[in-house]
């Protein structure tokens, strides 16, 4: 899962990034309004941590523009401003949660998991598609109740696709979601093919009734078979 941290305080931003990377999230950052605006409308993110008070703008204006453009995001506002007006404004603009500074990292992690459960897991702790079950909290995957051993990137590809079942996912979009924004500078995305080849083999050997279908010239789609 890819998270964008929009925070101007470098020390706090680094602490958040390190803590999230330990939880195996792909983390991108924006230290100011302008950078955040560019990233939000070029790349896709599963969750956004948004500071309201930025040196060159107000984070609520980012929320407003996202709403105007119909770009639904999973947003958690993190801000030192703990006024009722800010909370109400943020929530009415589409934020999913509001966390006042200072906060414990454990609470931040719990809020992220809660938001993602609501929006991508139907409120459930686990994700099920066909006879495959993914346990995001432990990074385990089961087929018919039996564990299968996946490499980190294999797991992350499966987790990314299972949250977007039956949708055509372009290679570049998948690469950015699993490897990070900078991967869009790669000369090609052949490295994805090797990971997906291994993942397909492991799923088939385990008897999974789902398949990663290649749409040649475009990307991939996760379907039931």
């Amino acid at each position: 899962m890819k998270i964008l941290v929009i925070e101007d305080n470098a020390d706090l931003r680094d602490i958040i990034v390190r803590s999230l990377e330990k939880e195996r999230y792909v983390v991108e950052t924006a230290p100011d309004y302008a950078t955040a605006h560019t990233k939000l409308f070029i790349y896709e993110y599963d969750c956004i941590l948004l500071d309201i008070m930025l040196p060159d703008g107000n984070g609520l204006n980012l929320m407003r523009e996202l709403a105007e453009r119909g770009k639904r995001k999973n947003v958690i506002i993190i801000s030192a401003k703990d006024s009722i007006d800010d909370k109400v404004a943020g929530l009415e603009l589409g934020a999913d949660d509001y966390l006042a500074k200072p906060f414990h990292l454990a609470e931040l992690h719990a809020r992220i998991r809660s938001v993602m459960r609501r929006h991508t897991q139907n409120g459930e702790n686990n994700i099920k598609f066909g006879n495959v079950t993914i346990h995001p909290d432990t990074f385990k995957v089961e087929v018919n109740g039996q564990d299968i051993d996946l490499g980190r990137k294999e797991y992350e590809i499966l987790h990314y696709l299972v949250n977007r079942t039956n949708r055509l996912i372009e290679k570049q979009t998948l690469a950015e979601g699993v490897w990070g924004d900078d991967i869009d500078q790669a000369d090609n995305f052949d490295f994805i093919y090797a990971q997906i080849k291994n993942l397909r083999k492991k799923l088939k050997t385990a008897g999974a009734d789902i398949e990663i279908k290649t749409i040649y010239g475009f990307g991939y789609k996760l379907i039931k078979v």
Side-chain angles (χ1 to χ4, degrees):
M1 190 170 77
K2 188 167 70 167
I3 297 176
L4 177 62
V5 180
I6 304 172
E7 169 60 57
D8 66 308
N9 184 299
D11 291 337
L12 177 58
R13 188 173 63 246
D14 290 345
I15 290 171
I16 292 174
V17 168
R18 288 197 300 270
S19 74
L20 293 177
E21 288 178 342
K22 288 181 180 178
E23 297 294 313
R24 291 177 54 173
Y25 294 115
V26 176
V27 187
E28 300 293 338
T29 63
D32 51 46
Y33 186 99
T35 304
H37 188 277
T38 298
K39 284 180 171 285
L40 284 171
F41 296 103
I42 292 179
Y43 302 109
E44 293 294 327
Y45 303 96
D46 297 294
C47 185
I48 298 165
L49 305 183
L50 173 64
D51 186 11
I52 291 178
M53 300 303 294
L54 298 169
D56 53 343
N58 190 307
L60 292 179
N61 290 332
L62 289 172
M63 291 289 305
R64 189 171 289 108
E65 188 167 352
L66 285 170
E68 290 172 351
R69 296 198 189 188
K71 291 179 72 70
R72 181 68 178 86
K73 302 288 185 180
N74 301 315
V75 179
I76 300 174
I77 292 175
I78 51 172
S79 179
K81 294 187 68 176
D82 194 21
S83 74
I84 294 297
D85 289 345
D86 286 327
K87 286 185 178 180
V88 171
L91 293 171
E92 287 187 343
L93 287 170
D96 295 275
D97 207 343
Y98 189 109
L99 189 59
K101 300 175 186 176
F103 52 80
H104 291 287
L105 292 172
E107 182 178 6
L108 174 63
H109 296 168
R111 299 286 186 101
I112 292 171
R113 289 193 294 268
S114 177
V115 166
M116 297 312 298
R117 279 198 300 269
R118 291 200 301 270
H119 291 290
T120 64
Q121 299 169 211
N122 298 316
E124 301 293 331
N125 289 325
N126 304 322
I127 307 170
K128 296 182 179 180
F129 188 55
N131 62 356
V132 177
T133 303
I134 297 177
H135 302 267
D137 291 344
T138 58
F139 314 111
K140 290 185 178 181
V141 177
E142 296 174 345
V143 177
N144 287 322
Q146 300 297 313
D147 290 347
I148 63 171
D149 184 24
L150 298 183
R152 176 166 178 171
K153 290 304 180 186
E154 294 166 359
Y155 169 86
E156 290 173 357
I157 288 171
L158 179 60
H159 185 263
Y160 187 94
L161 292 175
V162 84
N163 282 315
R164 298 158 178 83
T165 54
N166 299 306
R167 285 172 49 189
L168 175 59
I169 307 298
E170 295 183 357
K171 284 184 180 180
Q172 180 172 329
T173 302
L174 176 59
E176 291 168 359
V178 175
W179 278 269
D181 293 346
D182 290 342
I183 204 67
D184 65 355
Q185 300 174 25
D187 293 333
N188 60 65
F189 300 106
D190 291 345
F191 55 90
I192 297 178
Y193 175 76
Q195 297 286 347
I196 287 183
K197 180 180 178 181
N198 291 335
L199 177 55
R200 281 175 172 152
K201 182 178 180 180
K202 290 179 180 180
L203 289 172
K204 183 176 181 180
T205 300
D209 62 0
I210 65 174
E211 177 186 350
I212 302 173
K213 185 177 181 181
T214 298
I215 311 298
Y216 290 99
F218 293 96
Y220 303 97
K221 181 187 290 189
L222 186 66
I223 63 172
K224 290 182 182 179
V225 293

